[in-house]
Amino acid sequence: MPTTAISDETVTGLVGDAVAAPSMHNAQPWRFLYHRRDRLIDLYADPLRRMPAADPEGRALRIGCGAALLNLRVAAWHAGLRPEVSVSSAPEEGGPVATMRLHPAGPHEIDHDLAGLHAMIKERHTSRYPYADKPLPVGLKQRLSRQAAAEGAALSFPAGWHLSLILDVIEEAESDAEYTVDPDEQKWVRTGTAESDTTRDGIPEYSLGARKREGKAPVRDFARGHAATDRGSAAYENAPNLVAVSTAEDDPKAWLAAGQAMERVLLLATREGLASSFATQALERPDLRWLLRDPSRGAGPVQMILRLGYGPMGPHTPRRAVRDVLDIAP
């Protein structure tokens, strides 16, 4: 039985870092339960915050939970705790997707690679603004790839014909969306000053970015179908830096790993001065998602497409209070 107590205040801080993770439409689809006696944090996927139209299998939901889990691990190491994580590949209905046991860590046990990313948790924001037409340095790509590999995923940086293909596929998905109503977008996009300033989840109007006037960057128009917004228009990159996160398998356990890899990459990218956003339009279409794979490399299924670049870091988007997502048991 553990003998060293961990305060509720410490756990609240850890979860406060976890919930800064990105999630589809900023739905924040997670809940946490801390067991004081056993020093265990259970991470649950919140089915009430899934996207039934765009994410019927719960793949994006698991990716979001994986990102929160990575932040939780980073925060634990930073707090001088050694996180021991077990992941459920197929949890029972209502069961946790992952469990973390907290152990005091000696000075030579700390994972400094992860602990060193802690300051970036609150600095990472989604930026839907134009970036500079500037390629990423080769050395930085290699460091980002190592971060993903440490979590059991692979990164690829599409170029040439493959980049053109991915941009075309995403553009097809974005164009098709102009003629259909996405109930998930309608539910989670917040327009109007009053709603944007008071919401604790979803995508507020001030983070939508400008409308794309020209360029090839795959920027999603989240204002589509909502009241007119005064966002203006801008020219985006012609050669966007896209990054594909892939896994060998395509199951709930792989989705959770992809979320951890994605967030680890994003935290390092933020530390290196890169802005970031997501291009998930084609991933939400089973008939288009398989086209994103790079057949020449034999990479596994693509779980996420990131857009990285040098530009505005984006505004802070709202998060629910820790007390709304964390329960503490004896």
Side-chain angles (χ1 to χ4, degrees), residues 18 21-24 29-30 43 45 55 57-71 97 245-247 250-264 266 278 280 283 289 301-306:
S23 57
M24 187 174 184
W30 41 63
L43 167 60
D55 185 38
E57 293 183 317
R59 187 184 62 83
L61 180 145
R62 279 284 189 122
I63 289 175
C65 287
L69 179 59
L70 189 281
N71 278 2
V97 298
V245 181
S246 303
T247 55
D250 195 22
D251 56 28
K253 192 172 183 179
W255 303 337
L256 201 73
Q260 293 185 82
M262 174 193 75
E263 180 69 345
R264 188 161 176 165
L266 290 173
F278 306 92
T280 63
L283 293 168
R289 182 184 169 211
V302 175
Q303 304 295 353
M304 182 59 68
I305 298 289
L306 309 177

mmCIF file of all heavy atoms in Angstrom, residues 18 21-24 29-30 43 45 55 57-71 97 245-247 250-264 266 278 280 283 289 301-306:
data_model
loop_
_atom_site.group_PDB
_atom_site.id
_atom_site.type_symbol
_atom_site.label_atom_id
_atom_site.label_comp_id
_atom_site.label_asym_id
_atom_site.label_seq_id
_atom_site.Cartn_x
_atom_site.Cartn_y
_atom_site.Cartn_z
ATOM 1 N N ALA A 18 -3.553 18.727 -17.798
ATOM 2 C CA ALA A 18 -4.093 17.743 -18.742
ATOM 3 C C ALA A 18 -5.176 18.354 -19.625
ATOM 4 O O ALA A 18 -5.211 18.121 -20.836
ATOM 5 C CB ALA A 18 -4.646 16.547 -17.980
ATOM 6 N N ALA A 21 -5.062 20.253 -23.184
ATOM 7 C CA ALA A 21 -4.830 19.536 -24.439
ATOM 8 C C ALA A 21 -5.850 19.930 -25.501
ATOM 9 O O ALA A 21 -6.976 20.330 -25.186
ATOM 10 C CB ALA A 21 -4.900 18.029 -24.188
ATOM 11 N N PRO A 22 -5.484 19.789 -26.761
ATOM 12 C CA PRO A 22 -6.452 20.028 -27.842
ATOM 13 C C PRO A 22 -7.397 18.854 -28.003
ATOM 14 O O PRO A 22 -7.062 17.716 -27.652
ATOM 15 C CB PRO A 22 -5.557 20.185 -29.074
ATOM 16 C CG PRO A 22 -4.370 19.313 -28.771
ATOM 17 C CD PRO A 22 -4.153 19.437 -27.284
ATOM 18 N N SER A 23 -8.564 19.129 -28.536
ATOM 19 C CA SER A 23 -9.530 18.070 -28.842
ATOM 20 C C SER A 23 -10.407 18.549 -29.979
ATOM 21 O O SER A 23 -10.489 19.743 -30.258
ATOM 22 C CB SER A 23 -10.390 17.734 -27.614
ATOM 23 O OG SER A 23 -11.072 18.883 -27.138
ATOM 24 N N MET A 24 -11.046 17.629 -30.635
ATOM 25 C CA MET A 24 -11.867 17.970 -31.793
ATOM 26 C C MET A 24 -12.942 18.984 -31.399
ATOM 27 O O MET A 24 -13.727 18.760 -30.476
ATOM 28 C CB MET A 24 -12.523 16.703 -32.360
ATOM 29 C CG MET A 24 -13.251 16.941 -33.657
ATOM 30 S SD MET A 24 -13.837 15.368 -34.348
ATOM 31 C CE MET A 24 -14.529 15.960 -35.895
ATOM 32 N N PRO A 29 -13.336 16.050 -24.344
ATOM 33 C CA PRO A 29 -14.121 14.833 -24.074
ATOM 34 C C PRO A 29 -13.487 13.927 -23.020
ATOM 35 O O PRO A 29 -13.200 12.758 -23.285
ATOM 36 C CB PRO A 29 -14.128 14.153 -25.442
ATOM 37 C CG PRO A 29 -12.784 14.478 -26.009
ATOM 38 C CD PRO A 29 -12.478 15.887 -25.532
ATOM 39 N N TRP A 30 -13.235 14.448 -21.830
ATOM 40 C CA TRP A 30 -12.541 13.656 -20.815
ATOM 41 C C TRP A 30 -13.097 13.924 -19.429
ATOM 42 O O TRP A 30 -13.680 14.964 -19.141
ATOM 43 C CB TRP A 30 -11.048 13.986 -20.827
ATOM 44 C CG TRP A 30 -10.766 15.451 -21.002
ATOM 45 C CD1 TRP A 30 -11.113 16.476 -20.150
ATOM 46 C CD2 TRP A 30 -10.110 16.076 -22.115
ATOM 47 N NE1 TRP A 30 -10.704 17.689 -20.660
ATOM 48 C CE2 TRP A 30 -10.082 17.479 -21.846
ATOM 49 C CE3 TRP A 30 -9.513 15.597 -23.282
ATOM 50 C CZ2 TRP A 30 -9.505 18.392 -22.729
ATOM 51 C CZ3 TRP A 30 -8.948 16.515 -24.143
ATOM 52 C CH2 TRP A 30 -8.944 17.891 -23.872
ATOM 53 N N LEU A 43 -8.530 8.015 -16.305
ATOM 54 C CA LEU A 43 -8.934 8.907 -17.383
ATOM 55 C C LEU A 43 -10.072 8.243 -18.153
ATOM 56 O O LEU A 43 -9.924 7.124 -18.646
ATOM 57 C CB LEU A 43 -7.753 9.188 -18.321
ATOM 58 C CG LEU A 43 -8.063 9.861 -19.667
ATOM 59 C CD1 LEU A 43 -8.719 11.219 -19.478
ATOM 60 C CD2 LEU A 43 -6.791 9.985 -20.495
ATOM 61 N N ALA A 45 -13.134 8.618 -21.210
ATOM 62 C CA ALA A 45 -13.669 9.344 -22.359
ATOM 63 C C ALA A 45 -15.122 9.697 -22.053
ATOM 64 O O ALA A 45 -15.883 8.853 -21.583
ATOM 65 C CB ALA A 45 -13.587 8.482 -23.620
ATOM 66 N N ASP A 55 -17.414 11.703 -36.070
ATOM 67 C CA ASP A 55 -16.524 10.755 -35.392
ATOM 68 C C ASP A 55 -17.332 9.607 -34.780
ATOM 69 O O ASP A 55 -17.282 9.373 -33.570
ATOM 70 C CB ASP A 55 -15.726 11.490 -34.302
ATOM 71 C CG ASP A 55 -14.692 10.612 -33.619
ATOM 72 O OD1 ASP A 55 -14.068 9.791 -34.314
ATOM 73 O OD2 ASP A 55 -14.515 10.751 -32.391
ATOM 74 N N GLU A 57 -16.991 6.422 -34.705
ATOM 75 C CA GLU A 57 -16.247 5.339 -34.057
ATOM 76 C C GLU A 57 -15.535 5.784 -32.781
ATOM 77 O O GLU A 57 -15.024 4.946 -32.029
ATOM 78 C CB GLU A 57 -15.206 4.767 -35.023
ATOM 79 C CG GLU A 57 -15.786 4.054 -36.216
ATOM 80 C CD GLU A 57 -14.709 3.446 -37.087
ATOM 81 O OE1 GLU A 57 -13.687 4.117 -37.318
ATOM 82 O OE2 GLU A 57 -14.886 2.295 -37.517
ATOM 83 N N GLY A 58 -15.482 7.087 -32.542
ATOM 84 C CA GLY A 58 -14.782 7.581 -31.367
ATOM 85 C C GLY A 58 -13.283 7.689 -31.544
ATOM 86 O O GLY A 58 -12.547 7.776 -30.558
ATOM 87 N N ARG A 59 -12.811 7.696 -32.794
ATOM 88 C CA ARG A 59 -11.375 7.796 -33.036
ATOM 89 C C ARG A 59 -10.837 9.150 -32.575
ATOM 90 O O ARG A 59 -9.844 9.213 -31.828
ATOM 91 C CB ARG A 59 -11.083 7.589 -34.525
ATOM 92 C CG ARG A 59 -9.589 7.495 -34.864
ATOM 93 C CD ARG A 59 -9.397 7.380 -36.377
ATOM 94 N NE ARG A 59 -9.912 8.561 -37.044
ATOM 95 C CZ ARG A 59 -9.238 9.704 -37.184
ATOM 96 N NH1 ARG A 59 -8.014 9.805 -36.715
ATOM 97 N NH2 ARG A 59 -9.777 10.726 -37.794
ATOM 98 N N ALA A 60 -11.470 10.239 -32.990
ATOM 99 C CA ALA A 60 -11.015 11.566 -32.581
ATOM 100 C C ALA A 60 -11.177 11.764 -31.082
ATOM 101 O O ALA A 60 -10.360 12.446 -30.445
ATOM 102 C CB ALA A 60 -11.783 12.647 -33.346
ATOM 103 N N LEU A 61 -12.209 11.184 -30.511
ATOM 104 C CA LEU A 61 -12.404 11.264 -29.069
ATOM 105 C C LEU A 61 -11.222 10.649 -28.339
ATOM 106 O O LEU A 61 -10.687 11.218 -27.381
ATOM 107 C CB LEU A 61 -13.713 10.573 -28.689
ATOM 108 C CG LEU A 61 -14.102 10.540 -27.212
ATOM 109 C CD1 LEU A 61 -15.612 10.644 -27.056
ATOM 110 C CD2 LEU A 61 -13.636 9.246 -26.548
ATOM 111 N N ARG A 62 -10.766 9.478 -28.800
ATOM 112 C CA ARG A 62 -9.619 8.815 -28.173
ATOM 113 C C ARG A 62 -8.335 9.615 -28.391
ATOM 114 O O ARG A 62 -7.471 9.661 -27.514
ATOM 115 C CB ARG A 62 -9.442 7.416 -28.763
ATOM 116 C CG ARG A 62 -10.351 6.353 -28.197
ATOM 117 C CD ARG A 62 -9.862 5.939 -26.819
ATOM 118 N NE ARG A 62 -10.565 4.776 -26.322
ATOM 119 C CZ ARG A 62 -9.994 3.638 -25.965
ATOM 120 N NH1 ARG A 62 -8.691 3.489 -26.060
ATOM 121 N NH2 ARG A 62 -10.704 2.655 -25.484
ATOM 122 N N ILE A 63 -8.187 10.231 -29.559
ATOM 123 C CA ILE A 63 -7.007 11.043 -29.817
ATOM 124 C C ILE A 63 -6.962 12.219 -28.834
ATOM 125 O O ILE A 63 -5.905 12.548 -28.274
ATOM 126 C CB ILE A 63 -6.985 11.526 -31.276
ATOM 127 C CG1 ILE A 63 -6.685 10.343 -32.216
ATOM 128 C CG2 ILE A 63 -5.962 12.641 -31.471
ATOM 129 C CD1 ILE A 63 -6.763 10.677 -33.684
ATOM 130 N N GLY A 64 -8.100 12.863 -28.605
ATOM 131 C CA GLY A 64 -8.152 13.948 -27.634
ATOM 132 C C GLY A 64 -7.787 13.474 -26.237
ATOM 133 O O GLY A 64 -7.037 14.146 -25.511
ATOM 134 N N CYS A 65 -8.298 12.307 -25.842
ATOM 135 C CA CYS A 65 -7.952 11.758 -24.527
ATOM 136 C C CYS A 65 -6.464 11.427 -24.457
ATOM 137 O O CYS A 65 -5.819 11.606 -23.410
ATOM 138 C CB CYS A 65 -8.785 10.509 -24.248
ATOM 139 S SG CYS A 65 -10.518 10.860 -23.862
ATOM 140 N N GLY A 66 -5.894 10.958 -25.560
ATOM 141 C CA GLY A 66 -4.460 10.684 -25.594
ATOM 142 C C GLY A 66 -3.644 11.947 -25.391
ATOM 143 O O GLY A 66 -2.622 11.942 -24.696
ATOM 144 N N ALA A 67 -4.082 13.048 -25.992
ATOM 145 C CA ALA A 67 -3.376 14.316 -25.805
ATOM 146 C C ALA A 67 -3.430 14.751 -24.346
ATOM 147 O O ALA A 67 -2.437 15.233 -23.784
ATOM 148 C CB ALA A 67 -3.985 15.393 -26.706
ATOM 149 N N ALA A 68 -4.584 14.577 -23.707
ATOM 150 C CA ALA A 68 -4.709 14.916 -22.291
ATOM 151 C C ALA A 68 -3.821 14.019 -21.443
ATOM 152 O O ALA A 68 -3.209 14.464 -20.461
ATOM 153 C CB ALA A 68 -6.170 14.799 -21.851
ATOM 154 N N LEU A 69 -3.719 12.744 -21.810
ATOM 155 C CA LEU A 69 -2.872 11.805 -21.077
ATOM 156 C C LEU A 69 -1.398 12.204 -21.181
ATOM 157 O O LEU A 69 -0.655 12.122 -20.195
ATOM 158 C CB LEU A 69 -3.080 10.390 -21.609
ATOM 159 C CG LEU A 69 -2.242 9.278 -20.971
ATOM 160 C CD1 LEU A 69 -2.502 9.189 -19.475
ATOM 161 C CD2 LEU A 69 -2.543 7.929 -21.650
ATOM 162 N N LEU A 70 -0.966 12.639 -22.354
ATOM 163 C CA LEU A 70 0.424 13.070 -22.504
ATOM 164 C C LEU A 70 0.706 14.270 -21.605
ATOM 165 O O LEU A 70 1.729 14.325 -20.906
ATOM 166 C CB LEU A 70 0.701 13.401 -23.975
ATOM 167 C CG LEU A 70 2.148 13.681 -24.417
ATOM 168 C CD1 LEU A 70 2.605 15.081 -24.066
ATOM 169 C CD2 LEU A 70 3.129 12.648 -23.886
ATOM 170 N N ASN A 71 -0.217 15.243 -21.594
ATOM 171 C CA ASN A 71 -0.032 16.397 -20.716
ATOM 172 C C ASN A 71 0.030 15.975 -19.249
ATOM 173 O O ASN A 71 0.806 16.524 -18.463
ATOM 174 C CB ASN A 71 -1.176 17.394 -20.908
ATOM 175 C CG ASN A 71 -0.984 18.297 -22.111
ATOM 176 O OD1 ASN A 71 -0.017 18.166 -22.846
ATOM 177 N ND2 ASN A 71 -1.928 19.198 -22.321
ATOM 178 N N VAL A 97 -10.157 4.712 -20.050
ATOM 179 C CA VAL A 97 -9.333 4.396 -21.211
ATOM 180 C C VAL A 97 -7.874 4.268 -20.812
ATOM 181 O O VAL A 97 -7.077 3.636 -21.504
ATOM 182 C CB VAL A 97 -9.490 5.452 -22.325
ATOM 183 C CG1 VAL A 97 -10.920 5.504 -22.820
ATOM 184 C CG2 VAL A 97 -9.043 6.826 -21.846
ATOM 185 N N VAL A 245 0.449 12.207 -38.832
ATOM 186 C CA VAL A 245 0.719 11.311 -37.703
ATOM 187 C C VAL A 245 0.081 9.965 -38.025
ATOM 188 O O VAL A 245 -1.139 9.882 -38.227
ATOM 189 C CB VAL A 245 0.136 11.868 -36.396
ATOM 190 C CG1 VAL A 245 0.453 10.932 -35.223
ATOM 191 C CG2 VAL A 245 0.659 13.274 -36.129
ATOM 192 N N SER A 246 0.895 8.919 -38.087
ATOM 193 C CA SER A 246 0.409 7.592 -38.459
ATOM 194 C C SER A 246 0.755 6.578 -37.384
ATOM 195 O O SER A 246 1.687 6.760 -36.600
ATOM 196 C CB SER A 246 1.026 7.140 -39.788
ATOM 197 O OG SER A 246 0.754 8.059 -40.826
ATOM 198 N N THR A 247 -0.010 5.495 -37.352
ATOM 199 C CA THR A 247 0.252 4.377 -36.456
ATOM 200 C C THR A 247 0.204 3.083 -37.255
ATOM 201 O O THR A 247 -0.379 3.039 -38.343
ATOM 202 C CB THR A 247 -0.787 4.318 -35.325
ATOM 203 O OG1 THR A 247 -2.104 4.284 -35.891
ATOM 204 C CG2 THR A 247 -0.676 5.519 -34.393
ATOM 205 N N ASP A 250 -4.955 0.422 -36.337
ATOM 206 C CA ASP A 250 -6.039 1.393 -36.402
ATOM 207 C C ASP A 250 -7.145 0.941 -35.451
ATOM 208 O O ASP A 250 -8.219 0.532 -35.879
ATOM 209 C CB ASP A 250 -6.562 1.509 -37.837
ATOM 210 C CG ASP A 250 -7.425 2.754 -38.057
ATOM 211 O OD1 ASP A 250 -7.278 3.712 -37.266
ATOM 212 O OD2 ASP A 250 -8.223 2.763 -39.006
ATOM 213 N N ASP A 251 -6.860 1.007 -34.171
ATOM 214 C CA ASP A 251 -7.799 0.554 -33.149
ATOM 215 C C ASP A 251 -7.756 1.534 -31.985
ATOM 216 O O ASP A 251 -6.938 2.462 -31.976
ATOM 217 C CB ASP A 251 -7.472 -0.871 -32.699
ATOM 218 C CG ASP A 251 -6.043 -1.039 -32.201
ATOM 219 O OD1 ASP A 251 -5.459 -0.047 -31.696
ATOM 220 O OD2 ASP A 251 -5.492 -2.144 -32.313
ATOM 221 N N PRO A 252 -8.631 1.365 -30.990
ATOM 222 C CA PRO A 252 -8.673 2.341 -29.887
ATOM 223 C C PRO A 252 -7.340 2.566 -29.195
ATOM 224 O O PRO A 252 -7.018 3.702 -28.816
ATOM 225 C CB PRO A 252 -9.717 1.735 -28.936
ATOM 226 C CG PRO A 252 -10.648 1.005 -29.837
ATOM 227 C CD PRO A 252 -9.764 0.410 -30.895
ATOM 228 N N LYS A 253 -6.556 1.527 -29.012
ATOM 229 C CA LYS A 253 -5.257 1.696 -28.365
ATOM 230 C C LYS A 253 -4.332 2.540 -29.238
ATOM 231 O O LYS A 253 -3.591 3.397 -28.739
ATOM 232 C CB LYS A 253 -4.640 0.328 -28.091
ATOM 233 C CG LYS A 253 -3.431 0.364 -27.178
ATOM 234 C CD LYS A 253 -2.993 -1.036 -26.798
ATOM 235 C CE LYS A 253 -1.824 -1.017 -25.816
ATOM 236 N NZ LYS A 253 -1.412 -2.395 -25.421
ATOM 237 N N ALA A 254 -4.362 2.318 -30.547
ATOM 238 C CA ALA A 254 -3.537 3.106 -31.465
ATOM 239 C C ALA A 254 -3.992 4.560 -31.495
ATOM 240 O O ALA A 254 -3.165 5.476 -31.596
ATOM 241 C CB ALA A 254 -3.595 2.505 -32.867
ATOM 242 N N TRP A 255 -5.283 4.794 -31.400
ATOM 243 C CA TRP A 255 -5.792 6.160 -31.400
ATOM 244 C C TRP A 255 -5.295 6.922 -30.170
ATOM 245 O O TRP A 255 -4.928 8.089 -30.269
ATOM 246 C CB TRP A 255 -7.314 6.169 -31.447
ATOM 247 C CG TRP A 255 -7.876 5.430 -32.633
ATOM 248 C CD1 TRP A 255 -7.243 5.168 -33.821
ATOM 249 C CD2 TRP A 255 -9.178 4.849 -32.741
ATOM 250 N NE1 TRP A 255 -8.082 4.460 -34.661
ATOM 251 C CE2 TRP A 255 -9.273 4.243 -34.030
ATOM 252 C CE3 TRP A 255 -10.278 4.771 -31.887
ATOM 253 C CZ2 TRP A 255 -10.421 3.587 -34.469
ATOM 254 C CZ3 TRP A 255 -11.432 4.110 -32.312
ATOM 255 C CH2 TRP A 255 -11.503 3.534 -33.594
ATOM 256 N N LEU A 256 -5.284 6.254 -29.035
ATOM 257 C CA LEU A 256 -4.780 6.890 -27.818
ATOM 258 C C LEU A 256 -3.293 7.206 -27.958
ATOM 259 O O LEU A 256 -2.824 8.272 -27.548
ATOM 260 C CB LEU A 256 -5.036 5.990 -26.612
ATOM 261 C CG LEU A 256 -5.028 6.683 -25.247
ATOM 262 C CD1 LEU A 256 -6.281 7.528 -25.055
ATOM 263 C CD2 LEU A 256 -4.932 5.662 -24.121
ATOM 264 N N ALA A 257 -2.540 6.272 -28.543
ATOM 265 C CA ALA A 257 -1.109 6.504 -28.774
ATOM 266 C C ALA A 257 -0.901 7.671 -29.737
ATOM 267 O O ALA A 257 0.013 8.490 -29.559
ATOM 268 C CB ALA A 257 -0.454 5.237 -29.312
ATOM 269 N N ALA A 258 -1.737 7.751 -30.761
ATOM 270 C CA ALA A 258 -1.623 8.848 -31.722
ATOM 271 C C ALA A 258 -1.859 10.190 -31.049
ATOM 272 O O ALA A 258 -1.188 11.185 -31.357
ATOM 273 C CB ALA A 258 -2.614 8.654 -32.864
ATOM 274 N N GLY A 259 -2.805 10.234 -30.114
ATOM 275 C CA GLY A 259 -3.059 11.473 -29.390
ATOM 276 C C GLY A 259 -1.871 11.890 -28.547
ATOM 277 O O GLY A 259 -1.522 13.079 -28.480
ATOM 278 N N GLN A 260 -1.224 10.919 -27.906
ATOM 279 C CA GLN A 260 -0.042 11.240 -27.108
ATOM 280 C C GLN A 260 1.101 11.717 -28.010
ATOM 281 O O GLN A 260 1.802 12.679 -27.691
ATOM 282 C CB GLN A 260 0.382 10.016 -26.298
ATOM 283 C CG GLN A 260 -0.624 9.639 -25.220
ATOM 284 C CD GLN A 260 -0.131 8.495 -24.360
ATOM 285 O OE1 GLN A 260 0.643 8.694 -23.422
ATOM 286 N NE2 GLN A 260 -0.569 7.289 -24.689
ATOM 287 N N ALA A 261 1.292 11.042 -29.129
ATOM 288 C CA ALA A 261 2.341 11.448 -30.065
ATOM 289 C C ALA A 261 2.067 12.839 -30.616
ATOM 290 O O ALA A 261 2.974 13.689 -30.699
ATOM 291 C CB ALA A 261 2.440 10.433 -31.198
ATOM 292 N N MET A 262 0.830 13.092 -30.998
ATOM 293 C CA MET A 262 0.456 14.397 -31.541
ATOM 294 C C MET A 262 0.772 15.509 -30.549
ATOM 295 O O MET A 262 1.400 16.512 -30.893
ATOM 296 C CB MET A 262 -1.037 14.406 -31.869
ATOM 297 C CG MET A 262 -1.589 15.748 -32.304
ATOM 298 S SD MET A 262 -3.403 15.775 -32.318
ATOM 299 C CE MET A 262 -3.740 15.880 -30.538
ATOM 300 N N GLU A 263 0.360 15.334 -29.295
ATOM 301 C CA GLU A 263 0.578 16.395 -28.313
ATOM 302 C C GLU A 263 2.058 16.565 -28.003
ATOM 303 O O GLU A 263 2.538 17.694 -27.825
ATOM 304 C CB GLU A 263 -0.211 16.086 -27.035
ATOM 305 C CG GLU A 263 -0.065 17.131 -25.936
ATOM 306 C CD GLU A 263 -0.711 18.479 -26.236
ATOM 307 O OE1 GLU A 263 -1.065 18.754 -27.421
ATOM 308 O OE2 GLU A 263 -0.847 19.280 -25.302
ATOM 309 N N ARG A 264 2.793 15.475 -27.956
ATOM 310 C CA ARG A 264 4.232 15.580 -27.698
ATOM 311 C C ARG A 264 4.915 16.355 -28.826
ATOM 312 O O ARG A 264 5.787 17.200 -28.581
ATOM 313 C CB ARG A 264 4.833 14.187 -27.556
ATOM 314 C CG ARG A 264 6.271 14.165 -27.095
ATOM 315 C CD ARG A 264 6.663 12.819 -26.541
ATOM 316 N NE ARG A 264 8.076 12.770 -26.189
ATOM 317 C CZ ARG A 264 8.637 11.821 -25.431
ATOM 318 N NH1 ARG A 264 7.894 10.840 -24.959
ATOM 319 N NH2 ARG A 264 9.929 11.859 -25.153
ATOM 320 N N LEU A 266 3.408 18.590 -30.756
ATOM 321 C CA LEU A 266 2.951 19.976 -30.683
ATOM 322 C C LEU A 266 3.668 20.766 -29.589
ATOM 323 O O LEU A 266 3.981 21.950 -29.767
ATOM 324 C CB LEU A 266 1.444 20.013 -30.441
ATOM 325 C CG LEU A 266 0.563 19.560 -31.603
ATOM 326 C CD1 LEU A 266 -0.895 19.484 -31.177
ATOM 327 C CD2 LEU A 266 0.717 20.497 -32.801
ATOM 328 N N PHE A 278 -4.859 22.227 -37.136
ATOM 329 C CA PHE A 278 -5.222 20.875 -37.546
ATOM 330 C C PHE A 278 -5.978 20.917 -38.866
ATOM 331 O O PHE A 278 -6.665 21.887 -39.178
ATOM 332 C CB PHE A 278 -6.092 20.214 -36.474
ATOM 333 C CG PHE A 278 -5.476 20.238 -35.102
ATOM 334 C CD1 PHE A 278 -5.756 21.285 -34.230
ATOM 335 C CD2 PHE A 278 -4.597 19.262 -34.700
ATOM 336 C CE1 PHE A 278 -5.172 21.340 -32.979
ATOM 337 C CE2 PHE A 278 -4.009 19.296 -33.452
ATOM 338 C CZ PHE A 278 -4.298 20.342 -32.580
ATOM 339 N N THR A 280 -8.449 18.265 -40.276
ATOM 340 C CA THR A 280 -9.116 16.978 -40.053
ATOM 341 C C THR A 280 -10.253 16.701 -41.023
ATOM 342 O O THR A 280 -10.924 15.676 -40.911
ATOM 343 C CB THR A 280 -9.674 16.912 -38.618
ATOM 344 O OG1 THR A 280 -10.683 17.927 -38.453
ATOM 345 C CG2 THR A 280 -8.575 17.140 -37.591
ATOM 346 N N LEU A 283 -10.076 13.384 -42.724
ATOM 347 C CA LEU A 283 -10.057 12.297 -41.749
ATOM 348 C C LEU A 283 -11.447 11.941 -41.270
ATOM 349 O O LEU A 283 -11.677 10.841 -40.760
ATOM 350 C CB LEU A 283 -9.186 12.690 -40.553
ATOM 351 C CG LEU A 283 -7.688 12.833 -40.835
ATOM 352 C CD1 LEU A 283 -6.988 13.500 -39.663
ATOM 353 C CD2 LEU A 283 -7.065 11.475 -41.122
ATOM 354 N N ARG A 289 -10.214 9.271 -46.145
ATOM 355 C CA ARG A 289 -9.109 9.128 -45.199
ATOM 356 C C ARG A 289 -7.994 8.223 -45.740
ATOM 357 O O ARG A 289 -6.802 8.518 -45.569
ATOM 358 C CB ARG A 289 -9.646 8.575 -43.875
ATOM 359 C CG ARG A 289 -8.580 8.438 -42.798
ATOM 360 C CD ARG A 289 -9.149 7.794 -41.547
ATOM 361 N NE ARG A 289 -8.077 7.428 -40.627
ATOM 362 C CZ ARG A 289 -8.121 6.407 -39.801
ATOM 363 N NH1 ARG A 289 -9.209 5.646 -39.747
ATOM 364 N NH2 ARG A 289 -7.102 6.142 -39.013
ATOM 365 N N PRO A 301 -2.133 3.698 -41.145
ATOM 366 C CA PRO A 301 -3.248 4.640 -41.291
ATOM 367 C C PRO A 301 -2.935 5.996 -40.669
ATOM 368 O O PRO A 301 -2.342 6.083 -39.589
ATOM 369 C CB PRO A 301 -4.396 3.939 -40.554
ATOM 370 C CG PRO A 301 -3.735 2.946 -39.654
ATOM 371 C CD PRO A 301 -2.509 2.507 -40.366
ATOM 372 N N VAL A 302 -3.324 7.039 -41.352
ATOM 373 C CA VAL A 302 -3.116 8.402 -40.860
ATOM 374 C C VAL A 302 -4.168 8.703 -39.799
ATOM 375 O O VAL A 302 -5.365 8.500 -40.014
ATOM 376 C CB VAL A 302 -3.200 9.419 -42.012
ATOM 377 C CG1 VAL A 302 -3.105 10.847 -41.469
ATOM 378 C CG2 VAL A 302 -2.090 9.164 -43.025
ATOM 379 N N GLN A 303 -3.700 9.184 -38.655
ATOM 380 C CA GLN A 303 -4.610 9.507 -37.558
ATOM 381 C C GLN A 303 -4.854 11.005 -37.423
ATOM 382 O O GLN A 303 -5.907 11.424 -36.926
ATOM 383 C CB GLN A 303 -4.044 8.968 -36.241
ATOM 384 C CG GLN A 303 -3.738 7.488 -36.231
ATOM 385 C CD GLN A 303 -4.973 6.619 -36.379
ATOM 386 O OE1 GLN A 303 -6.106 7.101 -36.357
ATOM 387 N NE2 GLN A 303 -4.778 5.314 -36.549
ATOM 388 N N MET A 304 -3.888 11.807 -37.858
ATOM 389 C CA MET A 304 -4.041 13.256 -37.726
ATOM 390 C C MET A 304 -3.156 13.961 -38.738
ATOM 391 O O MET A 304 -2.072 13.472 -39.077
ATOM 392 C CB MET A 304 -3.656 13.703 -36.312
ATOM 393 C CG MET A 304 -3.810 15.183 -36.041
ATOM 394 S SD MET A 304 -5.507 15.809 -36.274
ATOM 395 C CE MET A 304 -6.336 14.982 -34.917
ATOM 396 N N ILE A 305 -3.640 15.086 -39.245
ATOM 397 C CA ILE A 305 -2.857 15.964 -40.108
ATOM 398 C C ILE A 305 -2.668 17.281 -39.358
ATOM 399 O O ILE A 305 -3.640 17.932 -38.965
ATOM 400 C CB ILE A 305 -3.551 16.232 -41.459
ATOM 401 C CG1 ILE A 305 -3.745 14.950 -42.253
ATOM 402 C CG2 ILE A 305 -2.750 17.251 -42.267
ATOM 403 C CD1 ILE A 305 -2.475 14.362 -42.815
ATOM 404 N N LEU A 306 -1.412 17.642 -39.138
ATOM 405 C CA LEU A 306 -1.073 18.892 -38.476
ATOM 406 C C LEU A 306 -0.561 19.893 -39.505
ATOM 407 O O LEU A 306 0.034 19.514 -40.512
ATOM 408 C CB LEU A 306 0.020 18.676 -37.428
ATOM 409 C CG LEU A 306 -0.194 17.565 -36.399
ATOM 410 C CD1 LEU A 306 1.024 17.461 -35.487
ATOM 411 C CD2 LEU A 306 -1.448 17.822 -35.587
#
